[in-house]
Amino acid sequence: MTHLMADPSVGVLIVDDQVPFRRAASAVVRLTPGFAVVGEAESGETAVEMVEALHPSMVLMDINMPGMNGIEATRRITAGFPQVMVLLLSTYQADDLPADAASSGYAEYVNKDEFGPNVLKGAWERRGHSSNS
Protein backbone atom coordinates (compact mmCIF):
# COMPACT_ATOMS: atom_id res chain seq x y z
CA MET A 1 0.00 0.00 0.00
CA THR A 2 1.58 3.27 -1.05
CA HIS A 3 0.95 6.55 0.67
CA LEU A 4 1.24 9.72 -1.36
CA MET A 5 2.54 12.29 1.08
CA ALA A 6 1.29 15.79 0.53
CA ASP A 7 3.72 18.60 1.21
CA PRO A 8 4.60 18.55 4.88
CA SER A 9 2.70 21.12 6.87
CA VAL A 10 3.90 24.68 7.01
CA GLY A 11 4.99 25.07 10.63
CA VAL A 12 3.71 28.31 12.15
CA LEU A 13 4.93 30.06 15.31
CA ILE A 14 2.37 32.46 16.79
CA VAL A 15 3.76 35.44 18.70
CA ASP A 16 1.43 37.75 20.64
CA ASP A 17 1.29 38.95 24.23
CA GLN A 18 -2.52 38.57 24.27
CA VAL A 19 -3.80 35.04 24.95
CA PRO A 20 -7.15 35.60 23.16
CA PHE A 21 -5.41 36.53 19.93
CA ARG A 22 -2.99 33.60 20.18
CA ARG A 23 -6.02 31.32 20.57
CA ALA A 24 -7.79 32.91 17.58
CA ALA A 25 -4.67 32.76 15.39
CA SER A 26 -4.07 29.16 16.42
CA ALA A 27 -7.62 28.27 15.38
CA VAL A 28 -7.10 29.93 11.98
CA VAL A 29 -3.86 28.00 11.42
CA ARG A 30 -5.50 24.71 12.40
CA LEU A 31 -8.44 25.38 10.05
CA THR A 32 -6.10 26.06 7.11
CA PRO A 33 -5.14 22.86 5.25
CA GLY A 34 -1.40 22.35 5.05
CA PHE A 35 -0.56 24.53 8.07
CA ALA A 36 0.24 23.50 11.65
CA VAL A 37 1.00 25.42 14.84
CA VAL A 38 4.47 24.50 16.09
CA GLY A 39 4.52 26.86 19.06
CA GLU A 40 3.35 30.06 20.72
CA ALA A 41 5.36 32.86 22.27
CA GLU A 42 4.22 35.89 24.24
CA SER A 43 7.28 38.08 23.74
CA GLY A 44 9.81 39.02 21.11
CA GLU A 45 12.64 37.52 23.15
CA THR A 46 10.86 34.17 23.40
CA ALA A 47 9.97 34.28 19.70
CA VAL A 48 13.63 34.56 18.69
CA GLU A 49 14.57 31.64 20.97
CA MET A 50 11.69 29.51 19.67
CA VAL A 51 12.61 30.13 16.02
CA GLU A 52 16.11 28.86 16.82
CA ALA A 53 14.69 25.77 18.55
CA LEU A 54 11.69 24.93 16.37
CA HIS A 55 12.66 26.16 12.88
CA PRO A 56 9.14 27.18 11.83
CA SER A 57 8.48 28.07 8.20
CA MET A 58 6.32 31.05 9.14
CA VAL A 59 5.99 33.39 12.12
CA LEU A 60 2.84 35.38 12.88
CA MET A 61 4.28 38.38 14.74
CA ASP A 62 2.40 40.93 16.81
CA ILE A 63 4.04 44.37 16.71
CA ASN A 64 3.26 45.83 20.13
CA MET A 65 4.55 43.69 22.98
CA PRO A 66 6.33 44.55 26.22
CA GLY A 67 10.10 44.13 26.11
CA MET A 68 11.39 43.38 22.64
CA ASN A 69 8.67 44.45 20.22
CA GLY A 70 7.66 42.50 17.15
CA ILE A 71 9.67 44.65 14.77
CA GLU A 72 12.96 44.08 16.58
CA ALA A 73 12.16 40.37 16.94
CA THR A 74 11.37 40.21 13.21
CA ARG A 75 14.68 41.92 12.41
CA ARG A 76 16.59 39.32 14.46
CA ILE A 77 14.67 36.38 13.01
CA THR A 78 15.00 37.44 9.38
CA ALA A 79 18.71 38.23 9.86
CA GLY A 80 19.47 34.87 11.45
CA PHE A 81 16.94 32.74 9.60
CA PRO A 82 16.27 34.31 6.19
CA GLN A 83 14.22 31.28 5.11
CA VAL A 84 11.59 32.03 7.79
CA MET A 85 8.64 34.08 6.53
CA VAL A 86 7.40 36.64 9.05
CA LEU A 87 3.93 38.13 8.81
CA LEU A 88 3.42 41.20 10.96
CA LEU A 89 -0.05 41.30 12.52
CA SER A 90 -1.49 44.24 14.38
CA THR A 91 -4.42 46.63 14.48
CA TYR A 92 -2.63 49.39 12.55
CA GLN A 93 -3.70 50.54 9.13
CA ALA A 94 -0.88 49.60 6.74
CA ASP A 95 0.01 53.28 6.22
CA ASP A 96 0.46 53.74 9.97
CA LEU A 97 3.04 51.01 10.56
CA PRO A 98 5.99 52.16 12.66
CA ALA A 99 8.74 53.61 10.47
CA ASP A 100 11.26 50.93 11.44
CA ALA A 101 8.96 48.12 10.24
CA ALA A 102 10.04 48.59 6.62
CA SER A 103 13.64 47.57 7.34
CA SER A 104 12.78 44.59 9.57
CA GLY A 105 12.56 42.00 6.78
CA TYR A 106 8.90 41.11 7.25
CA ALA A 107 7.12 39.54 4.28
CA GLU A 108 3.63 41.01 4.62
CA TYR A 109 1.53 43.05 7.01
CA VAL A 110 -1.94 41.82 7.96
CA ASN A 111 -4.52 43.68 10.02
CA LYS A 112 -5.71 41.35 12.81
CA ASP A 113 -9.33 41.98 11.84
CA GLU A 114 -8.66 40.57 8.37
CA PHE A 115 -6.59 37.54 9.38
CA GLY A 116 -8.06 34.24 8.23
CA PRO A 117 -7.26 31.05 6.31
CA ASN A 118 -7.32 32.76 2.91
CA VAL A 119 -4.90 35.44 4.10
CA LEU A 120 -2.58 32.80 5.55
CA LYS A 121 -2.63 30.66 2.40
CA GLY A 122 -2.29 33.66 0.10
CA ALA A 123 0.72 35.02 1.92
CA TRP A 124 2.44 31.62 1.83
CA GLU A 125 1.69 31.20 -1.89
CA ARG A 126 3.14 34.66 -2.64
CA ARG A 127 6.39 34.02 -0.75
CA GLY A 128 9.41 34.20 -2.96
CA HIS A 129 7.48 36.09 -5.62
CA SER A 130 8.28 39.47 -4.09
CA SER A 131 11.54 41.28 -4.61
CA ASN A 132 14.40 39.74 -2.69
CA SER A 133 16.43 42.46 -1.07
Side-chain angles (χ1 to χ4, degrees), residues 71-105:
I71 292 172
E72 178 58 26
T74 297
R75 181 173 287 114
R76 293 184 189 196
I77 290 166
T78 58
F81 304 90
Q83 74 282 10
V84 176
M85 178 181 190
V86 180
L87 296 187
L88 288 180
L89 281 86
S90 196
T91 53
Y92 291 103
Q93 294 307 312
D95 294 342
D96 297 331
L97 282 178
D100 56 346
S103 64
S104 69

Side-chain angles (χ1 to χ4, degrees), residues 3-63:
H3 282 285
L4 287 177
M5 281 299 290
D7 288 339
S9 294
V10 176
V12 181
L13 175 65
I14 298 167
V15 186
D16 198 296
D17 59 327
Q18 303 290 322
V19 171
F21 185 77
R22 288 202 312 268
R23 282 200 188 120
S26 182
V28 167
V29 172
R30 283 197 310 271
L31 288 169
T32 308
F35 291 78
V37 177
V38 295
E40 294 184 12
E42 58 187 31
S43 71
E45 292 89 345
T46 306
V48 174
E49 292 169 7
M50 289 182 79
V51 167
E52 286 183 29
L54 300 172
H55 303 286
S57 300
M58 180 187 280
V59 177
L60 305 178
M61 181 72 74
D62 184 30
I63 293 176

